[in-house]
């Protein structure tokens, strides 16, 4: 179904969902997030809403954005190298 939500809640919900995807490994370090248009379709929101969410992730230092290239995950929010050391 079509989801509708008030703009402030919408972009915050999207930012939270993307952040969760980054921290749980759905979007690993050095991977690219879906395009703005793909996110618009997946979450049924406007491009403006997607850009607000992506700007929030950029501000938090989780992604870097490049025109025509997309949004690349540059931090997963915690140090995964600690996790690897413990596993060995």
């Amino acid at each position: 179904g079509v989801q509708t939500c008030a703009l402030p809640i919408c972009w915050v919900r999207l930012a939270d969902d993307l952040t969760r995807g980054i921290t749980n490994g759905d979007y690993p370090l050095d991977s690219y997030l879906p395009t703005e248009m793909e996110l618009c379709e997946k979450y049924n929101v406007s491009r403006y809403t997607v850009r607000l969410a992506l700007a929030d992730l950029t501000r938090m230092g989780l992604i870097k954005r490049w025109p025509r290239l997309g949004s690349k995950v540059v931090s997963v929010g915690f140090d995964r190298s600690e996790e690897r050391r413990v596993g060995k």
Side-chain angles (χ1 to χ4, degrees):
V2 173
Q3 291 180 353
T4 57
C5 54
L7 188 62
I9 290 153
C10 230
W11 77 260
V12 169
R13 190 181 303 157
L14 175 55
D16 285 349
D17 202 51
L18 292 172
T19 300
R20 211 170 12 257
I22 290 169
T23 57
N24 74 15
D26 290 342
Y27 303 116
L29 198 61
D30 293 327
S31 70
Y32 283 86
L33 296 181
T35 66
E36 286 182 6
M37 291 314 293
E38 288 168 342
L39 290 170
C40 289
E41 289 174 17
K42 179 177 180 181
Y43 291 93
N44 197 34
V45 294
S46 72
R47 207 159 166 195
Y48 179 70
T49 299
V50 168
R51 285 179 175 171
L52 287 174
L54 293 175
D56 196 49
L57 269 62
T58 303
R59 186 184 54 75
M60 290 190 289
L62 294 175
I63 65 170
K64 283 202 187 302
R65 300 178 69 204
W66 288 278
R68 292 179 301 284
L69 290 178
S71 302
K72 185 176 185 177
V73 178
V74 294
S75 170
V76 293
F78 63 93
D79 187 357
R80 281 188 184 269
S81 64
E82 287 296 322
E83 185 178 282
R84 276 199 294 278
R85 265 201 290 278
V86 170
K88 288 186 175 178

